[in-house]
Amino acid sequence: MDEIIRNIAVYALPVLFAITLHEAAHAYAARYFGDNTAYAQGRMTLNPLSHVDLFGTIIIPIALYLMSGFVFGYAKPVPVQFGNLRNPKRDMAWVALAGPLANFIMALMWLIFAVLLIALNVGEEFPHKVAQAGVVTNLLIFAFNLFPLPPLDGGRVLTSMLPNHLAFKFAKIEPYGFFILLALLYFGVLSFWVQPLMWIGGQAVKLLASPITMLLT
């Protein structure tokens, strides 16, 4: 039981910020491209409390960890009126990509934090585990959300790229997207997408952090 509590403590901040800042990035991007809906509802903020969903951000991640050791969750989706964007079909892709990009940047920041801990000879194990959890959690959310299925960000990017008649048909999948994801998760199909993309993202993060790593270690 003590180990479970320690692990929840390790993942608490990384999961909270990974999920909520992902949504905040969508809000900032939406306003930049012309839609003020999220801003008007107070969602264009870095305050995690504005994005927390009781079930998706707290209950589900804890329950999944206790049952399977797998950590996953979601925040309250940021409301975006794509029709308000200056170029709706094109700009929806940029708004969608803002979330995974935020996770990629956070993975980089957590890695730099890990390097600093080593450089400063921090002996306490807990912050090292938190930093590692931050890198893994953000790479997982980065890769998962890029899966090309609506309502995930990758689905919106693909919708933006398709010709109009195909985009319209593809977007009709969205009401069933959650159930399709559950099936893909259950049968382990998503791992064939998530694991390679996490590896690619991890290599990119290491490459970007390499100047600081070489300087400090």
Side-chain angles (χ1 to χ4, degrees):
M1 187 64 181
D2 289 343
E3 183 180 354
I4 291 174
I5 293 174
R6 282 196 297 269
N7 286 336
I8 290 175
V10 164
Y11 277 92
L13 279 179
V15 170
L16 177 65
F17 284 106
I19 293 173
T20 57
L21 295 183
H22 176 104
E23 295 299 332
H26 286 314
Y28 277 93
R31 192 180 191 211
Y32 178 82
F33 286 104
D35 178 40
N36 288 319
T37 306
Y39 174 75
Q41 295 185 18
R43 300 295 304 281
M44 203 181 83
T45 174
L46 297 180
N47 180 3
L49 296 178
S50 298
H51 304 287
V52 166
D53 179 272
L54 177 61
F55 286 95
T57 316
I58 300 173
I59 295 176
I60 289 178
I62 292 176
L64 280 175
Y65 177 78
L66 293 176
M67 290 187 295
S68 64
F70 176 74
V71 178
F72 180 73
Y74 57 88
K76 290 185 292 186
V78 164
V80 179
Q81 297 294 331
F82 293 107
N84 293 338
L85 301 175
R86 288 188 289 274
N87 187 325
K89 192 167 185 298
R90 180 198 66 195
D91 294 345
M92 77 159 63
W94 295 114
V95 174
L97 285 171
L101 179 60
N103 292 119
F104 181 84
I105 293 172
M106 279 187 281
L108 175 62
M109 299 306 294
W110 280 113
L111 181 58
I112 292 173
F113 178 57
V115 172
L116 287 172
L117 290 174
I118 295 171
L120 295 173
N121 295 314
V122 175
E124 174 62 40
E125 188 179 23
F126 181 76
H128 290 275
K129 287 188 173 181
V130 171
Q132 182 181 14
V135 174
V136 172
T137 298
N138 279 286
L139 288 176
L140 173 61
I141 295 176
F142 162 79
F144 180 84
N145 276 279
L146 285 177
F147 187 74
L149 176 73
L152 295 180
D153 299 324
R156 300 205 186 282
V157 172
L158 182 55
T159 301
S160 175
M161 295 171 62
L162 289 171
N164 288 336
H165 66 288
L166 292 178
F168 178 75
K169 292 179 180 179
F170 184 66
K172 289 183 176 180
I173 298 175
E174 183 162 341
Y176 314 102
F178 179 73
F179 302 102
I180 296 173
L181 280 174
L182 287 180
L184 294 175
L185 280 168
Y186 179 78
F187 290 108
V189 176
L190 272 182
S191 63
F192 293 103
W193 170 274
V194 171
Q195 290 179 3
L197 200 55
M198 282 184 69
W199 183 85
I200 293 171
Q203 295 305 306
V205 163
K206 289 178 183 177
L207 180 63
L208 290 172
S210 59
I212 295 176
T213 303
M214 288 187 290
L215 181 66
L216 297 178
T217 58

